[in-house]
Amino acid sequence: VSGIWGQRFTEKCLRHGAEVVQLVKEAGLTPSYDEIAKVLEEEKPQVLFLCHGESSSGTKQKLDGVGELCAKHDCLLVVDTVCTLVGEPFFADAWGIDLVYSGAQKCIGCPPGLSPMTYSDKAYEKVMNRKTKPDIFSFDVTEVGRQWGFNGDKRPYHHTPPINIMFAMREALQIVSEEGLEASWNRHLNAHYQLWEGLDKLGLKPFVKNPEDRLSTVNCIEIPDGVDAPRLIAHAYDKYNLEISGGLGGTAGKVFRIGLMGYNCTPRNVESVVTAFEAGLKEQKWL
Ligand SMILES: Cc1ncc(COP(=O)(O)O)c(C=O)c1O
């Protein structure tokens, strides 16, 4: 747990009656391979949750080797890729991740409302062989799967699907595949470099100190002493029609957050963000 999404996953598990052990890191840091290995060794959990991109603090979790480690401990690895899928390199199978979920509305560029998920064979087997049924019928993925015709089911009714968003998802994925995944990852990375080149010239500093741990899709900027953050955010909105976020959870009041995801992740938009920061800082006589 290094931010709001790890915290929220904890909350969800507790509400389902799970026993949770947290590996807590300060906002801006991520657990290392060795720290994860130690927890697996000591606690022997059935499930390990990691957030690939912790959007509240702008950190990226390294995942290489963690899948193998989990397999060794017979533990399922669940990863949140809501703000990273299509924006950051991610390899569910090669990294041995058992359950991945994401969001439609971030780097995929679809309207909100769908949560794409994928299961490894091991996770699928586990879900299909549950001893007890999930207490919420709507969230029973075995029923959802039957409606989609998994295992040769005759697609019995489970719920009315939001087909308008499914068509939108199809179109969004078409656009992603026309660009190509690698090209999309590079576009997000280049925008991140361009942003930091511009912000650095203004004297602004990244909140995440280790460059390797920085997300390209959500960028956290330290609020410098003497800067009125809400005033800068309002200025960017009024003068440039740009929405700059403040911090969330542990980063509230400490950072500005810039999302560069999907359709909005373009060199021109990055230029506008840097211009808005420069103007906002000058307006406050900080520059
Ligand atoms: C990493 C991460 N996980 C989960 C969520 C929650 O997504 P939603 O708002 O679609 O429930 C977000 C939203 O920003 C996120 O960035």
Side-chain angles (χ1 to χ4, degrees):
V1 176
S2 57
I4 183 177
W5 303 113
Q7 199 56 49
R8 199 170 274 198
F9 195 81
T10 302
E11 170 70 15
K12 288 177 181 170
C13 291
L14 290 173
R15 288 189 187 201
H16 281 293
E19 200 184 307
V20 178
V21 176
Q22 291 185 328
L23 167 54
V24 179
K25 298 297 289 186
E26 218 177 282
L29 300 174
T30 58
S32 67
Y33 177 91
D34 290 342
E35 286 170 318
I36 294 170
K38 186 164 175 278
V39 167
L40 292 183
E41 193 64 55
E42 287 172 4
E43 305 291 341
K44 311 246 175 292
Q46 290 180 18
V47 170
L48 173 73
F49 166 83
L50 290 171
C51 191
H52 187 215
E54 181 43 84
S55 57
S56 64
S57 52
T59 50
K60 178 169 64 179
Q61 175 66 47
K62 288 195 189 76
L63 290 164
D64 14 346
V66 182
E68 246 168 65
L69 202 57
C70 285
K72 198 173 101 195
H73 288 277
D74 200 20
C75 166
L76 292 174
L77 176 57
V78 176
V79 178
D80 173 332
T81 64
V82 173
C83 73
T84 49
L85 199 67
V86 174
E88 288 274 2
F90 181 78
F91 305 95
D93 292 339
W95 290 348
I97 298 166
D98 293 298
L99 198 153
V100 182
Y101 65 84
S102 193
Q105 74 278 20
K106 307 265 188 212
C107 305
I108 297 176
C110 174
L114 286 180
S115 179
M117 294 177 80
T118 177
Y119 291 72
S120 67
D121 290 344
K122 205 165 101 190
Y124 185 68
E125 205 177 299
K126 181 101 178 169
V127 168
M128 295 308 277
N129 291 304
R130 284 177 64 115
K131 291 195 197 80
T132 53
K133 291 190 175 211
D135 52 359
I136 301 175
F137 182 81
S138 306
F139 292 170
D140 184 342
V141 290
T142 62
E143 295 287 345
V144 176
R146 292 183 69 211
Q147 177 159 333
W148 278 89
F150 285 14
N151 293 332
D153 280 315
K154 291 216 168 78
R155 311 196 62 172
Y157 168 75
H158 172 256
H159 65 281
T160 304
I163 51 166
N164 41 352
I165 305 178
M166 285 173 181
F167 279 114
M169 176 60 96
R170 192 196 179 286
E171 184 59 23
L173 291 176
Q174 180 72 43
I175 294 169
V176 169
S177 67
E178 276 165 14
E179 180 180 20
L181 263 183
E182 279 187 26
S184 177
W185 298 336
N186 286 334
R187 176 165 54 86
H188 286 82
L189 189 63
N190 289 337
H192 167 75
Y193 288 150
Q194 184 194 342
L195 178 72
W196 282 108
E197 201 184 306
L199 296 177
D200 185 57
K201 283 188 189 139
L202 302 179
L204 294 169
K205 303 269 175 270
F207 177 70
V208 179
K209 296 301 163 216
N210 182 356
E212 282 185 13
D213 293 340
R214 277 179 213 150
L215 259 181
S216 61
T217 56
V218 181
N219 296 271
C220 283
I221 305 158
E222 272 181 2
I223 300 173
D225 285 344
V227 170
D228 178 342
R231 184 167 139 196
L232 190 139
I233 289 172
H235 185 266
Y237 191 73
D238 293 344
K239 304 272 180 213
Y240 294 88
N241 202 19
L242 270 180
E243 223 176 318
I244 293 171
S245 296
L248 198 58
T251 58
K254 294 185 184 157
V255 301
F256 298 106
R257 290 184 309 141
I258 307 293
L260 294 171
M261 289 179 271
Y263 176 77
N264 89 9
C265 177
T266 62
R268 192 160 177 267
N269 285 348
V270 175
E271 225 177 278
S272 305
V273 172
V274 175
T275 305
F277 266 99
E278 184 172 3
L281 293 171
K282 281 186 175 157
E283 191 264 334
Q284 296 190 24
K285 314 250 176 305
W286 191 82
L287 269 187

